Amino acid sequence: MKIVSVVGTRPNFIKEYAIEKECRKLKINKVIVHTGQHYDFLMSDIFFRELSLPKPKYINVVKKESHGKETAAMLSFLEEVLKKEKPDVTLVYGDVNSTLAGALASVKLRIPVVHVEAGIRSYSKYNPEEINRRIVDCISDTLFAATRESYENLIKEGHPKKCVYLVGDIVKDSLEIIIKKFNIKINRGTYNLVTIHRMENITSNVRLKNIVEALIESKQDIKFPLHPNTEKYLKNFNLLNKIKKAKTIELLPPLGYIEFMKVLAGANKVLTDSGGVRREAYLLRKPIISLIDIVWFPDMIKCGWKYIAGDKKRKILQAIANFNPQSPRPNIFGNAQAAVKILSIIKKRYGKR
Ligand code: UDP
């Protein structure tokens, strides 16, 4: 059996880590194809190096252009790759433009698509991730849900039960391996960790300014690894110098996964608009302050560990000062066996083609 795994962004590489480990164990032939969506050392190569991922067999070069041009370039690259490789199945992760391009190229060639992290819904019609995820779910042959809620979303939407599997979150698989391997200690330290990169936040002068002002005015120590897109917009909106002057905020480059896990594990609270970071924060028992109003994983709100502050300065400041949940944290994300389950299902469904 041959799998083509389409990856293109930082969160994809991290999820690929757990899948790669399991493929090695099962001696499954998996070809990694890199769409080039994230391409520089700190957003791409460092993950391949740190996580000992095999060098992709194909690497695309994309210019940083509009979503349309970027997706189109990846689509035509992936079509050629898939025609050449003729895999039994194409595996795509999450909700980025690479996911959309991979799924579309594959299904048009009648190669079944399996979607890892299917069914997450924010019901925010124009959120770029929501658009990608909904389309990919519609054209996938097998849907792997990370949470019960995602599973139920898919069933409610009418996806046939025999194609939808609740396997738990692959993010948890990768996180647990790394925490154990590097003996990373989890404690509530004295600083808060901040990550922002969602388009809704960074391309809005108003939202970005509100968030930056709240971080500065909180006067609490903050570690803030900067996504390259965030850095670009902070500069454009004349906010970068303002942050640099704040003595309590430590700006960092984008971190490799191991370093990022260490910083996360030692944080007091986590302020983020990231889909992945909020789950990792929950798994490492950190109070989560969401800097975007979009709701992903409502179970984290229901149990009291995630607070939606959006870009509201007053809410962010209050949460930094006072948000200290003590309630129990239910197991939302499964038992860190997602990769094992995903590959066993893939083998069963596509192994004899
Ligand atoms: N991450 C990292 N270094 C950083 C920031 C994030 O390794 O400086 C990891 C993080 O652990 C998570 C993933 O990148 O697994 C999340 O990526 P991002 O927030 O860019 O994307 P999203 O999850 O929102 O799609």
Side-chain angles (χ1 to χ4, degrees):
M1 184 184 54
K2 188 199 274 185
I3 302 175
V4 158
S5 179
V6 176
V7 295
T9 63
R10 173 167 78 180
N12 295 163
F13 312 139
I14 291 164
K15 291 160 197 167
E16 177 73 16
Y17 176 54
I19 292 289
E20 171 65 27
K21 270 191 161 318
E22 191 56 23
C23 281
R24 277 188 207 165
K25 231 186 265 166
L26 301 174
K27 299 196 170 44
I28 290 177
N29 178 12
K30 176 168 65 61
V31 174
I32 300 182
V33 181
H34 192 320
T35 66
Q37 192 178 337
H38 284 172
Y39 50 88
D40 60 17
F41 180 77
L42 291 177
M43 294 299 285
S44 173
D45 302 15
I46 190 167
F47 294 93
F48 282 83
R49 190 189 284 184
E50 276 189 344
L51 305 175
S52 307
L53 290 172
K55 201 170 157 4
K57 186 164 172 191
Y58 303 87
I59 306 180
N60 186 33
V61 180
V62 281
K63 283 200 209 113
K64 271 280 139 208
E65 288 179 309
S66 67
H67 276 223
K69 280 189 183 164
E70 181 183 82
T71 311
M74 296 190 297
L75 180 63
S76 86
F77 159 76
L78 288 163
E79 186 176 58
E80 290 314 308
V81 169
L82 290 168
K83 273 191 202 158
K84 219 183 280 172
E85 287 295 329
K86 298 186 176 49
D88 296 292
V89 68
T90 302
L91 188 155
V92 296
Y93 299 98
D95 56 17
V96 292
N97 291 341
S98 304
T99 318
L100 176 62
L104 204 48
S106 184
V107 75
K108 290 263 181 161
L109 294 169
R110 295 175 169 265
I111 301 165
V113 177
V114 303
H115 186 201
V116 174
E117 234 182 42
I120 299 170
R121 296 287 179 267
S122 64
Y123 302 101
S124 171
K125 190 169 175 183
Y126 294 107
N127 168 253
E129 289 79 22
E130 177 84 0
I131 298 165
N132 289 342
R133 204 184 297 264
R134 278 179 178 270
I135 294 171
V136 174
D137 283 347
C138 279
I139 57 180
S140 292
D141 193 58
T142 305
L143 298 155
F144 291 115
T147 64
R148 162 87 26 212
E149 188 240 343
S150 305
Y151 175 86
E152 278 164 10
N153 289 340
L154 291 164
I155 301 298
K156 258 192 285 177
E157 286 172 14
H159 293 277
K161 260 195 173 158
K162 62 177 194 310
C163 300
V164 185
Y165 297 86
L166 175 58
V167 291
D169 193 356
I170 193 85
V171 166
K172 186 168 177 182
D173 289 36
S174 296
L175 175 138
E176 288 206 352
I177 303 169
I178 290 295
I179 293 283
K180 205 161 150 203
K181 189 168 172 190
F182 293 92
N183 196 19
I184 297 174
K185 298 277 174 282
I186 304 155
N187 67 300
R188 293 279 299 274
T190 53
Y191 61 86
N192 299 318
L193 171 63
V194 174
T195 79
I196 329 172
H197 74 290
R198 291 261 92 79
M199 281 298 154
E200 288 90 338
N201 275 335
I202 62 174
T203 59
S204 156
N205 188 359
V206 174
R207 292 188 68 94
L208 209 49
K209 186 163 169 279
N210 287 345
I211 294 170
V212 164
E213 285 180 0
L215 299 180
I216 294 172
E217 286 172 33
S218 79
K219 298 205 168 61
Q220 290 206 13
D221 285 339
I222 282 168
K223 290 189 193 285
F224 188 177
L226 274 186
H227 190 290
N229 293 342
T230 312
E231 182 168 9
K232 183 176 110 188
Y233 282 98
L234 283 171
K235 245 187 232 159
N236 288 354
F237 297 141
N238 293 321
L239 291 167
L240 193 59
N241 277 335
K242 213 169 167 177
I243 309 188
K244 281 186 176 163
K245 280 189 203 139
K247 293 204 171 60
T248 47
I249 301 180
E250 183 184 357
L251 288 179
L252 299 165
L255 302 175
Y257 187 50
I258 300 161
E259 190 53 31
F260 187 75
M261 277 301 118
K262 289 182 184 162
V263 175
L264 176 60
N268 180 26
K269 298 178 187 178
V270 174
L271 294 95
T272 190
D273 63 11
S274 161
V277 174
R278 72 189 55 208
R279 275 126 84 185
E280 293 162 342
Y282 183 82
L283 294 168
L284 299 186
R285 302 188 286 279
K286 310 293 173 184
I288 303 139
I289 302 166
S290 171
L291 298 175
I292 190 141
D293 318 83
I294 293 171
V295 174
W296 288 295
F297 309 109
D299 291 340
M300 289 199 280
I301 304 176
K302 277 183 215 146
C303 73
W305 280 78
K306 183 168 74 181
Y307 173 75
I308 306 269
D311 69 324
K312 303 290 170 297
K313 207 164 127 181
R314 187 184 51 80
K315 287 188 174 183
I316 300 171
L317 281 166
Q318 271 178 6
I320 292 178
N322 303 320
F323 183 53
N324 272 311
Q326 303 294 328
S327 46
R329 285 165 38 266
N331 179 1
I332 301 169
F333 297 106
N335 56 0
Q337 293 295 306
V340 173
K341 292 178 189 165
I342 288 168
L343 286 160
S344 129
I345 294 162
I346 289 179
K347 263 179 86 176
K348 217 181 318 161
R349 284 178 70 103
Y350 308 102
K352 293 194 188 79
R353 282 161 60 88

